[in-house]
Amino acid sequence: YMEYWLYNVIQHSVEPDTFSGYERQVTGRLKEYFTQKKHRRKVKELTADDLDEFYNYLRKYLKNSTIDHYNDNISSAFRYLLKKKKVRYNPTDLINPIVVERKEVSVYTKKEIVKLLEVLKGDSIELATQFDGCYGLRRSEIIGLREQVFDFEENYFTINHVAIQHDGKNNAEKVYFKDKAKGKKGYRTFPLFPHIKKAVLQRLEQIEENKKIFGNSYNHKYDGYLFVHDNGDLIQPHYFTERFREIIQKNGLKQITPHGLRHSIATLLHLEGVDIRDIQDWLGHESVSSTNIYTRGDYKKQVRT
């Protein structure tokens, strides 16, 4: 049934990258466990105790945060059965609580962000990191930036197109694009800071020069995109993350991820006294509760309080 739910109910209602995560879970350890003779159950027979045993089995290999995702998927599958009146209750409502410990994300101070940008000068991900370290954009939003979203006269740019890395099996295209941001609040417009404007214009000039240098061997598939290699190939999201990690390690900087810079921007805005709902709009969060996760105080703010 979980495979039926996967391919007939869920596949066409979620994004491909989200579906690939569901697929890995259903066709992986979940199928491995419940196809064993001693664990086989019909949907009407499945109990909370069965699920508790399954989750205890998963704990040998996975963290509670991942097990919680398994539970979410099974719960969603049973909600569909309830709607169709195929079962009388959802066993996930009765399981032992799955305690998920939230991992503290490392953040940078202003000085640490400036230092990072200094060591990145001339690197292929320098400009991408500037957008991350100055605006706190999502990785998908950065890689999806195109020339057409910039207004160099009015000095602003808009987030309306994203690049998603897709790791699903049977998928030939590693990256796909969509003309919508994450959630309704993902669509937003930012001021174009002078130093970012200068860097973007220089990058666009360099891209045009590269087209002349590479000639017929230049990849025009991604024309208009800001973050491409010299030969026109897209700078893929995973490449940005891995190159970022290499730079951090090579220069002995405090461990952080590109997403950690997004947390850093939220924290810095919070410490500057920016209202939490304004930070929510800046980050593009649907819920202010998500923004609260990103922000944290420090000793100076406690003193002011």
Side-chain angles (χ1 to χ4, degrees):
Y1 167 66
M2 288 300 297
E3 287 186 315
Y4 171 84
W5 169 82
L6 181 71
Y7 296 114
N8 295 278
V9 179
I10 285 296
Q11 184 169 13
H12 305 295
S13 62
V14 298
E15 296 293 342
D17 58 316
T18 302
F19 174 77
S20 66
Y22 292 169
E23 187 177 39
R24 280 194 297 271
Q25 290 191 352
V26 171
T27 61
R29 297 192 191 279
L30 190 148
K31 184 175 182 179
E32 178 186 285
Y33 181 88
F34 282 108
T35 51
Q36 295 177 37
K37 188 175 181 179
K38 62 180 178 179
H39 298 309
R40 286 179 186 170
R41 300 286 186 277
K42 292 183 179 179
V43 289
K44 291 182 179 180
E45 301 170 344
L46 192 71
T47 67
D49 287 341
D50 294 325
L51 290 178
D52 283 332
E53 289 179 13
F54 173 51
Y55 298 151
N56 283 332
Y57 159 78
L58 290 179
R59 287 186 177 94
K60 299 176 184 177
Y61 313 99
L62 306 170
K63 296 179 180 178
N64 272 5
S65 56
T66 304
I67 295 171
D68 197 39
H69 288 310
Y70 276 84
N71 187 60
D72 286 342
N73 291 341
I74 295 172
S75 179
S76 177
F78 267 83
R79 286 197 300 273
Y80 179 78
L81 287 174
L82 279 170
K83 187 171 68 173
K84 296 294 183 180
K85 297 183 179 180
K86 299 293 185 183
V87 295
R88 289 185 296 174
Y89 75 103
N90 187 337
T92 63
D93 292 336
L94 304 174
I95 64 165
N96 293 322
I98 300 173
V99 180
V100 179
E101 294 183 2
R102 188 168 299 281
K103 185 179 179 182
E104 189 75 6
V105 177
S106 180
V107 297
Y108 269 13
T109 63
K110 292 179 185 178
K111 288 183 178 179
E112 287 172 325
I113 293 176
V114 170
K115 174 65 176 176
L116 172 63
L117 294 176
E118 285 177 354
V119 302
L120 273 165
K121 282 185 177 177
D123 194 89
S124 60
I125 66 165
E126 177 189 2
L127 183 55
T129 307
Q130 284 183 320
F131 274 99
D132 196 355
C134 292
Y135 295 99
L137 299 184
R138 298 179 177 95
R139 185 181 68 171
S140 60
E141 295 170 340
I142 295 170
I143 304 302
L145 285 172
R146 298 170 293 176
E147 181 178 2
Q148 67 192 62
V149 304
F150 292 91
D151 188 319
F152 296 111
E153 292 186 4
E154 298 297 328
N155 294 313
Y156 69 83
F157 70 95
T158 303
I159 299 297
N160 59 13
H161 183 80
V162 293
I164 307 294
Q165 190 93 33
H166 182 31
D167 296 321
K169 58 185 180 181
N170 306 324
N171 186 68
E173 193 68 38
K174 289 294 184 182
V175 176
Y176 71 94
F177 301 92
K178 57 182 183 179
D179 289 323
K180 60 179 181 178
K182 187 176 180 180
K184 293 179 181 179
K185 283 187 174 291
Y187 291 98
R188 55 209 195 279
T189 298
F190 290 98
L192 187 57
F193 302 141
H195 71 286
I196 297 292
K197 176 181 178 179
K198 180 180 178 182
V200 170
L201 289 172
Q202 289 176 341
R203 180 63 192 146
L204 292 174
E205 287 180 8
Q206 185 60 58
I207 288 173
E208 291 305 311
E209 185 64 27
N210 289 337
K211 289 179 181 179
K212 297 176 184 178
I213 295 172
F214 281 83
N216 293 333
S217 62
Y218 188 87
N219 182 5
H220 288 277
K221 181 178 180 179
Y222 302 105
D223 279 359
Y225 284 92
L226 200 59
F227 297 108
V228 292
H229 293 285
D230 288 348
N231 67 349
D233 290 346
L234 187 74
I235 293 179
Q236 298 201 356
H238 282 357
Y239 173 86
F240 173 43
T241 300
E242 287 304 307
R243 181 60 183 161
F244 187 94
R245 182 181 59 81
E246 290 174 8
I247 296 293
I248 293 291
Q249 292 180 344
K250 180 180 178 182
N251 291 275
L253 301 177
K254 186 173 78 179
Q255 291 298 312
I256 196 173
T257 63
H259 197 71
L261 285 183
R262 181 168 162 81
H263 281 260
S264 303
I265 291 300
T267 298
L268 290 170
L269 290 173
H270 181 54
L271 295 175
E272 289 291 337
V274 178
D275 183 86
I276 191 70
R277 295 197 178 276
D278 291 332
I279 300 175
Q280 176 190 357
D281 291 340
W282 184 274
L283 296 177
H285 283 152
E286 289 297 299
S287 168
V288 75
S289 61
S290 298
T291 310
N292 280 323
I293 295 171
Y294 279 61
T295 59
R296 70 199 70 181
D298 67 357
Y299 174 69
K300 291 180 181 178
K301 192 169 189 298
Q302 298 293 65
V303 170
R304 288 201 300 272
T305 302

